[in-house]
Amino acid sequence: MEYLPASIETKWQEYWKTHKKYLASESSDKPKYYVLDMFPYPSGAGLHVGHPLGYIASDIVARYKKHLGYNVLHPMGFDAFGLPAEQYAIDTGQHPAITTAQNIKTYKDQLSKIGFSYDWDREVITSEPDYYHWTQWIFMQLFNAWYNQATDRAEPIKILLEVFEKEGNKHVKAAQSDSTPVFSAQEWHTYDEEQRALILLNYRLTYLADVVVNWCPALGSVLANDEVKDGFSERGGHPVERKKMKQWMMRLTAYAERLLQGLDVIDWSDALKDIQRNWIGKSIGAELKFKVKDSDLELTVFTTRIDTIFGVTFVSIAPESDLLTKLTTPEQANQVADYVQKAKNRSERERMADVKTVSGAFLGSYAINPFSGESIPIWVADYVLAGYGTGVVMGVPSSDDRDYRFAKHFQLPIRCVIEGTEELENPTEKKQGKMINSGFLDGLNYQDAILKAIEHAQAQGFGLKKINYKLRDAVFGRQRYWGEPIPVYYKNGVPFLISEEQLPLILPQISHFKPTESGEPPLARAQNWLHEGKYPYEQTTMPGWAGSSWYFLRYTDAKNPQAFASKDATTYWGQVDLYMGGAEHATGHLLYSRFWNLALYDLGYVAHAEPFKKLINQGMIQGRSSLIYKQKNAEVFLSHKLSKGQDCQELHVDVSLVTNDVLDVEAFKKWRPEYANAEFVLDNGKFECAYQVEKMSKRWYNVVNPDEVVARYGADTLRMYEMFLGPLEYSKPWDTSGIDGVSRFLRKLWRTCIGREGESLLSKNQPISDKENKILHNLIKRVREDLDRFSFNTVVSSYMIALNELNSLESKQQEVFEKFLILLSPFAPHIAEELWHLLGNSSSVIDQPFPMYDDKYLKESGFDYPVSVNGKLRASLWLANGTDAETALSQALALDKVQTWVEGKTIKKCVFVPNKILNLVV
RNA sequence: GCCCAGGUGGUGGAACUGGUAGACACGCAGGACUUAAAAUCCUGUGGCUGAAUAAGCCGUACGGGUUCGAUUCCCGUCCUAGGCACCA
């Protein structure tokens, strides 16, 4: 009987489905294990061979854990709101829901062919009202919460209201907007509903504010910081500009410190943690007040290097600062106005592209260094960012590169305050050392100087220790149609929540998906879309990351109509034990999810603070493009080697026309009829292509579709080959020609077990030989150990080695091969199940307990020692266990090969490490 | 510029705490079976010297160091990929 993957794979997929093999349940005595894949966005292009890499790995883990006796939750669903479907809707008029449904179907078809063990009963789709009902609900919880810095957690807003009633906001320590007014209890009582609502917006975890946002005119929407790369939109690559707009925001910054601390207790790669740490960007420093000379004004600067305070020779402020006019003297007014005008006109991208250009203007007034009493000039400069720190910088040209460039350019004095920097042409090259020219700080190293300076500033009352974060609050609105409606309506321009009973707020039907002619979001087109018939609803929708920020919680209780998930369910399943996905979500999804989960934790809805216990970033599978060479100005193609040194044009050819770098010329001519009559110069009868590793993309004709691979080799081969390619975390090119190795292995396994008529070729009921046991138990040990450390590629080679070894033996016991099939089933479940049944079993292989190994079969009676002389390998020597160093030495010296190297020399030392090595030093 | 990860045969990679570098595959070469092809099986395959499956030398990006012994640890340089980037 032949191994025909196509028929057995569909058969078993059907069987597992109808026998509900993958359903997870909350009522189980077994320990739980939650394996999750990152939420896919179902794009129209479907899956290529790189996408399932992580899914296969997580599926192997899910199946392995099931064999080990865990109650496994392994769900899948779709992040279905998003730009591509909407862009398509704008172009064609087709409703994005239709496109999305089609794409989801394509994805599910493709996924189902690979044999994943997903519990499809828990599928979630973010664009369905049953789901976004709860996305909206979570938004409302965040709206009704504030961050109490005194208790260091989010609390219901009504606690804050009670405080306001009693004592106003004077003593409230909260994460709040900068512009929050200070008021007393009496004042609070005089405010009307709308005034109170506006004040509360300064505290809510989701709030409406005027902010400078990333506006992408081509997409007609604002974008989050992580959706902008180098001044262009991540999706589509359109230019992005800075614009001030009224926007819904998430008070992410309230959680900066806890998001940072939380990284210490989760098992993620250091690389990923570092990305998040950098993004949060904590810096510890000091805030200092500089009095302005001959004025009541004060400037507050933020610095991380207060130790260099005696090196300050100027102060610079951001062009956006409100203080600018007050600090500018009449003589300087024109010059400053000119400069500010120029600076504002410089776009964000220009400023980024051209970091080296120094510009600024003197304001005419002076500040007083609080430490030295010295007067120093105040400048305006566009290298100072209004949004970071206080928007005012103390210029220390001897220790800071930008200050140095600025001082050089405007010929401001440079004073060295670190020992050894005076001799340097550029003193900023040395940033640490003993302090000099620094009054009472002289002689201290920089850390001690920082502590002493802060102490001094605090004692004198002009400064205090201060922590700053680069992290910004996240913009939470999009001027788009295809997203969750924000459950808010407006009364006189003041936002109010709808009530929970009114959820879900359904996305209304509209006729066109473009923004209106007057530039309003598409939802402005909705007819009679009013709250209680009179109040307009919010017209922006939630961003793509809303639905994906909590989907892992929904899976625990996916069908619950009463809650986003019951506390019992989220508590039972707890953290995601293994989260598999790409590192590209480091500053987006992975940060936002942690934030939402923390907020829900503070408010008592989930029992754990961190959602993802362990996270593995699978690498990317790159394309391996095939290239051919055509002579310029001639219809002549040259085989790769012949093209060297020739003046040739390089063309990408479709990788499906190429086998082992040899081009099927006839197929190529069919594909590219314009070259049907071209001449092909062969090399040794073959037309060879060059190759290049690059991103898998249609434009390079290097996309390989998993469906095609499954059709040709079977899902088991695809699964094993993706794992065999190399360590999961690495990026590596896909080369279809390598797949034969895995395919041969599975066919060999089949032929070893099953004869022509489907009969077992294995012997039964005979004692298992020591050799067989040794091979089997070695394999069990390796598979378990390697799977426990997620080393999937080495497991595949272990199977191959074991099969080769078993095949070299005379007797083949069915019992041994049955164990082998269980070991194999996480990787290749279909063939394992088929052979399991053909060998006479009626149960399912995927339910079998994972084999255990017994050390007694692995023990060796001795070891074949490498014998080296002066570290160079010269011979090998078999010694029984327990041989002592002396005997080992004398036996080694008896070897001819050793004699040649030690003859006439004295043996200085003999290194004997049992079961490792014998090394003679002469 | 800063932060992080990584450089091993023609290719993907293995070597788990410093102990026989190149497992397992692909590819290639040769052979067997076959009318032929596919499939399958066998042999060889890091480089150099050599008739050699005798022996030796070199070899894990490069240059040093520690060690009896380094792909593995340390220092420096180069390269590649990722992240951040006037963040005070």
Side-chain angles (χ1 to χ4, degrees):
Chain A
M1 207 164 118
E2 229 186 311
Y3 169 46
L4 296 170
S7 61
I8 66 170
E9 286 177 359
T10 42
K11 178 174 89 186
W12 291 115
Q13 283 161 12
E14 227 12 73
Y15 174 88
W16 295 324
K17 197 170 155 191
T18 51
H19 290 78
K20 301 198 177 295
K21 286 291 183 192
Y22 304 134
L23 300 193
S25 129
E26 285 75 45
S27 53
S28 168
D29 308 333
K30 300 174 181 171
K32 69 94 190 179
Y33 196 86
Y34 185 178
V35 200
L36 184 64
D37 293 303
M38 277 189 192
F39 219 17
Y41 174 80
S43 80
L47 294 169
H48 68 60
V49 105
H51 294 118
L53 182 72
Y55 303 157
I56 293 170
S58 61
D59 194 57
I60 288 167
V61 173
R63 290 171 176 274
Y64 172 57
K65 293 287 175 182
K66 207 169 278 180
H67 282 295
L68 291 179
Y70 286 88
N71 181 29
V72 174
L73 174 58
H74 186 37
M76 180 49 85
F78 299 95
D79 188 13
F81 277 131
L83 288 181
E86 181 167 10
Q87 213 57 40
Y88 188 76
I90 291 172
D91 296 343
T92 65
Q94 170 156 282
H95 196 282
I98 298 171
T99 320
T100 304
Q102 284 167 351
N103 292 349
I104 288 175
K105 189 179 177 304
T106 308
Y107 260 63
K108 283 181 80 169
D109 285 350
Q110 287 187 298
L111 289 172
S112 69
K113 285 183 189 153
I114 305 174
F116 293 121
S117 60
Y118 295 128
D119 177 354
W120 282 111
D121 281 9
R122 294 174 187 251
E123 175 182 6
V124 302
I125 296 174
T126 54
S127 59
E128 289 185 351
D130 284 353
Y131 183 86
Y132 70 68
H133 177 146
W134 300 106
T135 311
Q136 292 170 334
W137 181 86
I138 293 171
F139 174 92
M140 291 168 73
Q141 308 315 306
L142 296 174
F143 185 87
N144 281 327
W146 64 295
Y147 199 90
N148 186 345
Q149 287 175 335
T151 56
D152 204 19
R153 60 192 201 88
E155 292 177 0
I157 207 95
K158 57 173 195 275
I159 294 181
L160 189 62
L161 287 172
E162 284 163 20
V163 177
F164 287 176
E165 297 275 337
K166 264 188 237 143
E167 54 176 50
N169 69 351
K170 279 191 198 84
H171 304 297
V172 170
K173 286 188 75 181
Q176 65 192 54
S177 305
D178 293 337
S179 52
T180 314
V182 181
F183 54 83
S184 65
Q186 287 87 336
E187 285 169 304
W188 178 253
H189 288 293
T190 65
Y191 297 154
D192 64 18
E193 188 196 19
E194 284 163 16
Q195 282 170 312
R196 289 179 179 196
L198 288 175
I199 283 174
L200 285 171
L201 281 179
N202 292 311
Y203 293 91
R204 298 181 187 279
L205 288 185
T206 182
Y207 62 98
L208 194 60
D210 277 313
V211 282
V212 178
V213 293
N214 304 300
W215 172 252
C216 179
L219 294 173
S221 187
V222 300
L223 298 172
N225 288 338
D226 66 284
E227 292 169 324
V228 182
K229 289 267 177 299
D230 300 324
F232 291 89
S233 67
E234 202 179 27
R235 289 223 169 160
H238 307 291
V240 173
E241 50 193 60
R242 306 284 283 170
K243 195 175 168 184
K244 201 161 198 175
M245 292 175 86
K246 200 170 263 305
Q247 287 297 318
W248 281 99
M249 303 290 289
M250 286 274 165
R251 210 176 293 280
L252 184 57
T253 50
Y255 281 93
E257 186 61 30
R258 283 169 73 196
L259 288 169
L260 192 63
Q261 299 296 329
L263 291 173
D264 296 337
V265 301
I266 50 184
D267 185 6
W268 295 14
S269 71
D270 288 334
L272 193 62
K273 288 184 184 181
D274 278 341
I275 294 174
Q276 288 209 347
R277 284 196 189 104
N278 289 338
W279 188 261
I280 294 167
K282 180 180 186 176
S283 54
I284 302 173
E287 243 177 40
L288 287 177
K289 290 207 160 64
F290 281 55
K291 286 209 160 66
V292 176
K293 198 178 175 187
D294 307 324
S295 155
D296 302 334
L297 292 170
E298 268 185 348
L299 293 175
T300 308
V301 307
F302 174 72
T303 175
T304 54
R305 290 299 303 272
I306 192 175
D307 56 312
T308 63
I309 184 74
F310 288 91
V312 176
T313 56
F314 63 94
V315 167
S316 38
I317 69 176
E320 293 87 347
S321 174
D322 301 335
L323 290 168
L324 215 54
T325 43
K326 291 181 195 159
L327 293 170
T328 306
T329 57
E331 306 83 72
Q332 296 294 320
N334 285 339
Q335 216 187 324
V336 170
D338 245 23
Y339 176 70
V340 170
Q341 194 54 40
K342 256 188 239 155
K344 279 189 177 160
N345 281 342
R346 265 180 101 194
S347 73
E348 192 71 6
R349 285 209 293 117
E350 267 178 276
R351 274 170 76 163
M352 282 202 304
D354 159 41
V355 163
K356 288 276 144 69
T357 306
V358 176
S359 67
F362 177 46
L363 300 185
S365 53
Y366 291 82
I368 295 166
N369 182 333
F371 278 71
S372 64
E374 197 182 353
S375 291
I376 45 178
I378 304 173
W379 287 66
V380 54
D382 72 354
Y383 79 84
V384 182
L385 303 177
Y388 184 79
T390 58
V392 186
V393 171
M394 62 180 219
V396 186
S398 58
S399 292
D400 182 279
D401 303 296
R402 290 149 311 174
D403 296 344
Y404 177 72
R405 279 201 301 271
F406 193 82
K408 274 272 174 193
H409 188 263
F410 291 109
Q411 278 132 43
L412 295 165
I414 296 170
R415 189 184 310 141
C416 293
V417 288
I418 290 168
E419 193 177 66
T421 53
E422 318 93 294
E423 300 93 47
L424 297 173
E425 202 191 315
N426 178 351
T428 64
E429 276 165 22
K430 184 171 190 253
K431 295 202 162 77
Q432 301 172 6
K434 273 195 178 141
M435 307 311 300
I436 50 167
N437 302 327
S438 296
F440 68 100
L441 299 175
D442 275 352
L444 296 171
N445 69 35
Y446 87 107
Q447 290 109 323
D448 293 338
I450 286 175
L451 294 178
K452 193 155 181 192
I454 290 178
E455 214 175 274
H456 178 79
Q458 276 175 343
Q460 302 291 312
F462 56 73
L464 41 98
K465 188 177 167 187
K466 176 86 187 190
I467 294 166
N468 250 307
Y469 300 92
K470 279 198 279 183
L471 188 72
R472 306 286 83 183
D473 280 346
V475 179
F476 197 70
R478 296 288 181 276
Q479 289 64 26
R480 306 287 297 193
Y481 172 70
W482 192 230
E484 300 87 347
I486 292 175
V488 161
Y489 66 91
Y490 290 88
K491 223 195 271 183
N492 298 324
V494 179
F496 291 93
L497 288 184
I498 66 172
S499 70
E500 288 190 14
E501 296 72 48
Q502 289 163 325
L503 291 175
L505 176 60
I506 300 285
L507 186 63
Q509 293 294 330
I510 55 174
S511 48
H512 299 290
F513 302 100
K514 271 185 264 193
T516 65
E517 283 65 29
S518 52
E520 290 166 298
L523 279 181
R525 295 175 184 276
Q527 303 286 312
N528 299 321
W529 196 48
L530 295 168
H531 182 66
E532 289 168 351
K534 45 186 167 175
Y535 303 113
Y537 282 116
E538 170 62 48
Q539 290 175 350
T540 58
T541 52
M542 296 190 197
W545 55 269
S548 61
S549 293
W550 72 280
Y551 75 109
F552 46 90
L553 296 170
R554 185 65 176 171
Y555 282 139
T556 65
D557 196 6
K559 298 282 183 278
N560 192 332
Q562 258 83 51
F564 73 95
S566 73
K567 183 101 189 255
D568 284 350
T570 58
T571 305
Y572 175 79
W573 290 111
Q575 288 176 300
V576 173
D577 293 284
L578 177 65
Y579 196 21
M580 193 74 75
E584 68 272 21
H585 297 110
T587 54
H589 163 63
L590 288 173
L591 203 58
Y592 300 136
S593 301
R594 293 182 59 217
F595 161 49
W596 278 34
N597 192 87
L598 268 172
L600 291 171
Y601 168 75
D602 283 351
L603 297 172
Y605 295 112
V606 297
H608 49 276
E610 286 293 336
F612 313 122
K613 187 153 111 194
K614 180 175 177 67
L615 184 142
I616 297 180
N617 290 126
Q618 88 272 15
M620 266 214 319
I621 292 204
Q622 297 146 314
R624 188 181 186 279
S625 308
S626 286
L627 307 168
I628 61 170
Y629 297 91
K630 177 182 162 296
Q631 281 185 340
K632 282 189 179 159
N633 311 318
E635 296 292 288
V636 178
F637 288 92
L638 299 174
S639 184
H640 176 42
K641 280 182 198 136
L642 304 175
S643 71
K644 281 181 187 156
Q646 301 270 337
D647 191 16
C648 286
Q649 180 193 353
E650 196 178 73
L651 282 105
H652 278 76
V653 296
D654 196 307
V655 288
S656 66
L657 308 176
V658 178
T659 312
N660 291 330
D661 290 334
V662 176
L663 178 69
D664 180 338
V665 174
E666 289 315 308
F668 174 74
K669 287 178 175 174
K670 253 189 211 163
W671 180 55
R672 280 293 184 83
E674 67 268 37
Y675 296 124
N677 298 317
E679 186 192 341
F680 287 80
V681 183
L682 309 184
D683 183 10
N684 263 331
K686 292 170 181 169
F687 190 88
E688 297 198 324
C689 307
Y691 74 88
Q692 189 170 312
V693 174
E694 53 202 345
K695 210 180 156 202
M696 204 172 267
S697 154
K698 271 188 188 161
R699 65 188 287 227
W700 306 125
Y701 305 110
N702 60 6
V703 175
V704 180
N705 182 305
D707 299 6
E708 290 162 19
V709 179
V710 169
R712 190 159 155 212
Y713 295 95
D716 287 334
T717 300
L718 173 73
R719 292 169 61 103
M720 287 195 92
Y721 184 55
E722 295 231 358
M723 294 299 102
F724 188 56
L725 232 36
L728 185 62
E729 297 90 336
Y730 288 20
S731 285
K732 57 245 160 185
W734 176 269
D735 183 2
T736 305
S737 57
I739 204 170
D740 284 328
V742 186
S743 174
R744 276 177 203 147
F745 160 75
L746 290 177
R747 290 195 306 243
K748 200 191 286 181
L749 172 68
W750 181 278
R751 285 197 317 272
T752 305
C753 298
I754 296 299
R756 282 176 181 279
E757 309 301 322
E759 78 284 10
S760 169
L761 299 177
L762 305 169
S763 19
K764 269 190 191 168
N765 306 325
Q766 280 174 33
I768 297 170
S769 69
D770 287 351
K771 280 182 182 168
E772 280 177 291
N773 265 325
K774 193 169 152 188
I775 296 166
L776 176 66
H777 286 259
N778 235 320
L779 178 65
I780 298 171
K781 185 166 191 254
R782 288 218 51 179
V783 172
R784 280 178 170 261
E785 286 178 356
D786 287 0
L787 280 182
D788 288 340
R789 62 188 175 101
F790 306 102
S791 172
F792 301 94
N793 54 326
T794 51
V795 179
V796 180
S797 12
S798 301
Y799 295 136
M800 292 173 170
I801 293 167
L803 181 64
N804 288 342
E805 286 176 348
L806 287 171
N807 264 325
S808 70
L809 301 178
E810 281 305 306
S811 88
K812 298 181 180 77
Q813 297 299 316
Q814 176 150 330
E815 208 188 318
V816 171
F817 279 84
E818 285 182 354
K819 293 252 169 68
F820 190 104
L821 293 176
I822 302 169
L823 293 169
L824 182 69
S825 77
F827 282 76
H830 310 88
I831 191 174
E833 189 78 291
E834 177 72 13
L835 289 174
W836 180 257
H837 280 80
L838 285 174
L839 294 179
N841 294 289
S842 52
S843 58
S844 181
V845 74
I846 63 177
D847 294 331
Q848 303 307 311
F850 216 61
M852 308 273 257
Y853 64 90
D854 189 334
D855 270 327
K856 78 177 175 201
Y857 297 115
L858 305 177
K859 282 202 189 104
E860 302 277 351
S861 56
F863 182 76
D864 198 16
Y865 284 86
V867 181
S868 42
V869 179
N870 285 347
K872 277 195 190 287
L873 179 73
R874 296 301 177 188
S876 68
L877 174 66
W878 194 92
L879 294 170
N881 283 344
T883 308
D884 60 38
E886 254 171 73
T887 324
L889 177 62
S890 64
Q891 292 215 25
L893 288 174
L895 297 170
D896 288 349
K897 284 182 180 175
V898 175
Q899 269 307 312
T900 349
W901 293 99
V902 297
E903 212 165 20
K905 291 165 186 161
T906 38
I907 292 168
K908 281 194 221 152
K909 193 173 175 185
C910 171
V911 181
F912 178 71
V913 185
N915 291 325
K916 292 276 187 203
I917 202 168
L918 178 61
N919 187 20
L920 309 177
V921 187
V922 298

